[in-house]
Amino acid sequence: MRKKEMLAMLLAGGQGSRLGILTKDKAKPSVAFGGKYRIIDFPMSNCVNSGVDTVGVLTQYQPLILNQHIGIGIPWDLDRKNGGAAILAPHVKGGEQGEWYSGTANAIYQNIGYIDTYNPEYVLILSGDHIYKMDYSNMLAFHKKNNCDVTIAVLEVSMDEASRFGIMNADENDKIYEFEEKPEHPKSNLASMGIYIFTWDKLREALIEDNKVHADSDFGKHIIPMMLNKGMTLYAYRFKDYWKDVGTIESYWAANMELIETLPHFNLYEDFWKIYTNNESQLPQYTGKNADIKTSIISEGSSILGKVHHSVISTSVIIEEGAEVRDSIIMEHCIIRKGCVIDRCIIDQDTEIGENVTMGVGDDVPNEDKPKIYNTGITVVGNNTVVPPNVTIGKNCVIYGKTTAEDYPEGRLESGKSVVIEKEAIL
């Protein structure tokens, strides 16, 4: 097989627990974003736009939806005989039992055989759960120019925020001399983005060596410090464009809302750097004669008969006449029945909201079960959920499953409460 100059390894197995019910049965990279996309579409599109034609996608937690979405990589022109997209799940390598990925570097270590198949000179390591556009070929040129063993993409953050990140301390030429993981008193504001280019033979050697010591080998905790201690050449590559980690309910909601602005910070409509996705052909969107749409994204196949203000509506959504949706995210194949008022909510796919439901009202009380996740006034409804008609639902509520009127005493769910109906296991 022809040798590759660089291939990408995309870490997409994260649970994304801070997204709560949205990741109950799917990995964070497969969560919908911007109406018609999924989060993983952004690094995948960056790869193809950057000329990277071989992408290993490492999956682990709830991979079914993610695997179906990626398929053989057709939407990203990655259905190739030499390279293309490959799903790399944990698997049995010898004996009778397999081994889960137990760290970011351990996941790459377990796939050394896959990488060796292409014998690349460089390996690009990516996270599958960030929203941004980056030309990795520019980062590779920087890596070569500085004769690096490792190049780490960094963002300049405020010094007040720096303690939340892995921080690269570098000299005036951006050569890294020290790495600090979430330092209490940071010395610089160069925050790691979790995007690395390694010279493969150096990384391969480091992975094998560190695996003997750390079963949970991690790039930030183990591999980067090891390479620094050995005197290898590490440089910080400064990225100064839009980048967003949509790791919380609030950041996910806010990033979607930013797309609606007249001049959005992150532009989905640029022809020269398109974002590709696996999106089945849809009928055109339909707008009824009494529809009222303002400052919103409406995706293909949707039927809008009511009011939609400052919201993101995915494919094949029905908003019936007399329904109002404000400051909300409605994912694909949802139905919002007539008379509903939906305010500052996230509703996951294949959900039906019954007639005359009012959602997102009342006091801003943190969720009593998971106050660290649901605490910014956003009510979240999980996928394949049914909400019966004529109920009133507060803020920071969580609803999941086929609920009935009996689940809402006196027709109400107060702010901060949850109704979660677990699905029966299929034996």
Side-chain angles (χ1 to χ4, degrees):
M1 185 173 289
R2 181 168 56 87
K3 180 176 180 177
K4 297 285 183 182
E5 180 182 39
M6 183 170 74
L7 62 76
M9 298 292 279
L10 205 165
L11 300 168
Q15 181 175 354
S17 57
R18 292 181 299 160
L19 285 178
I21 205 75
L22 297 179
T23 53
K24 182 175 178 60
D25 56 7
K26 57 180 172 289
K28 178 181 172 184
S30 61
V31 172
F33 184 83
K36 63 183 292 183
Y37 305 99
R38 296 186 185 272
I39 295 173
I40 198 170
D41 291 337
F42 295 88
M44 290 283 286
S45 297
N46 287 340
C47 284
V48 68
N49 288 330
S50 301
V52 179
D53 64 3
T54 304
V55 182
V57 182
L58 286 73
T59 64
Q60 181 157 285
Y61 171 80
Q62 295 283 16
L64 178 60
I65 293 175
L66 189 62
N67 292 353
Q68 290 174 334
H69 180 69
I70 294 171
I72 59 173
I74 292 175
W76 304 273
D77 191 29
L78 291 173
D79 52 328
R80 302 177 179 224
K81 292 182 179 179
N82 180 20
I87 303 293
L88 303 173
H91 57 280
V92 176
K93 301 163 187 68
E96 298 180 354
Q97 293 185 331
E99 180 182 353
W100 291 109
Y101 299 146
S102 55
T104 55
N106 175 263
I108 305 301
Y109 168 80
Q110 291 196 44
N111 287 282
I112 285 177
Y114 167 79
I115 299 172
D116 280 345
T117 300
Y118 297 99
N119 190 26
E121 190 170 356
Y122 308 103
V123 172
L124 170 67
I125 309 293
L126 304 171
S127 172
D129 53 8
H130 297 146
I131 306 297
Y132 67 107
K133 296 178 182 179
M134 179 188 283
D135 190 340
Y136 303 131
S137 67
N138 292 337
M139 186 174 172
L140 179 59
F142 177 90
H143 183 89
K144 293 177 180 179
K145 176 183 176 181
N146 291 287
N147 196 27
C148 298
D149 297 309
V150 189
T151 298
I152 301 171
V154 297
L155 275 175
E156 294 183 28
V157 299
S158 70
M159 291 301 291
D160 292 338
E161 293 182 298
S163 60
R164 299 193 297 109
F165 296 90
I167 296 297
M168 303 295 157
N169 297 322
D171 64 19
E172 64 276 9
N173 297 314
D174 287 332
K175 184 176 182 181
I176 299 168
Y177 61 84
E178 184 182 28
F179 170 76
E180 296 181 289
E181 179 65 30
K182 298 181 180 178
E184 186 176 350
H185 303 290
K187 301 173 187 175
S188 84
N189 66 340
L190 298 181
S192 172
M193 298 170 64
I195 300 171
Y196 314 102
I197 291 180
F198 289 90
T199 299
W200 172 232
D201 60 350
K202 300 294 180 64
L203 175 59
R204 192 182 193 281
E205 180 181 325
L207 291 171
I208 293 171
E209 181 178 342
D210 193 66
N211 183 67
K212 297 173 183 177
V213 181
H214 303 111
D216 59 345
S217 185
D218 181 85
F219 284 111
K221 293 178 182 177
H222 306 124
I223 300 298
I224 301 301
M226 174 200 290
M227 290 182 152
L228 278 171
N229 290 337
K230 288 189 172 186
M232 293 188 183
T233 303
L234 286 77
Y235 270 77
Y237 177 77
R238 295 176 187 253
F239 183 70
K240 298 183 179 181
D241 210 333
Y242 183 97
W243 179 89
K244 186 80 73 172
D245 180 355
V246 288
T248 66
I249 291 294
E250 173 65 21
S251 64
Y252 173 78
W253 178 87
N256 274 272
M257 294 300 107
E258 287 173 353
L259 299 175
I260 302 168
E261 297 175 3
T262 304
L263 295 174
H265 297 294
F266 188 71
N267 191 345
L268 288 174
Y269 309 107
E270 295 170 327
D271 286 335
F272 68 91
W273 199 271
K274 290 184 178 180
I275 303 300
Y276 302 93
T277 187
N278 186 354
N279 195 17
E280 61 189 28
S281 298
Q282 300 285 347
L283 295 171
Q285 61 178 256
Y286 175 76
T287 303
K289 65 178 181 179
N290 295 320
D292 179 1
I293 301 173
K294 293 181 181 177
T295 323
S296 297
I297 291 175
I298 310 295
S299 300
E300 301 97 318
S302 291
S303 180
I304 311 300
L305 306 177
K307 292 183 180 180
V308 177
H309 290 186
H310 201 260
S311 296
V312 176
I313 308 299
S314 291
T315 56
S316 299
V317 168
I318 298 173
I319 311 291
E320 291 190 344
E321 190 163 355
E324 298 183 24
V325 176
R326 300 190 295 258
D327 296 309
S328 295
I329 302 166
I330 313 296
M331 299 188 198
E332 60 188 19
H333 302 293
C334 288
I335 301 175
I336 311 299
R337 296 295 184 189
K338 64 182 180 181
C340 286
V341 178
I342 309 297
D343 190 4
R344 197 175 162 87
C345 297
I346 300 173
I347 300 178
D348 207 347
Q349 65 188 58
D350 298 297
T351 287
E352 179 176 348
I353 308 299
E355 294 182 5
N356 302 312
V357 169
T358 299
M359 187 181 297
V361 297
D363 297 330
D364 191 355
V365 179
N367 186 269
E368 61 182 19
D369 296 323
K370 295 185 176 180
K372 293 184 179 180
I373 295 178
Y374 309 101
N375 55 29
T376 57
I378 301 169
T379 282
V380 183
V381 182
N383 65 357
N384 292 285
T385 290
V386 174
V387 177
N390 305 309
V391 298
T392 299
I393 297 166
K395 298 180 180 179
N396 294 316
C397 293
V398 179
I399 305 167
Y400 178 79
K402 291 178 170 56
T403 67
T404 64
E406 287 72 26
D407 297 309
Y408 304 85
E410 299 181 0
R412 298 185 65 85
L413 186 67
E414 300 296 340
S415 293
K417 301 290 185 179
S418 301
V419 176
V420 177
I421 310 297
E422 296 289 349
K423 300 172 184 174
E424 294 183 4
I426 300 176
L427 300 179

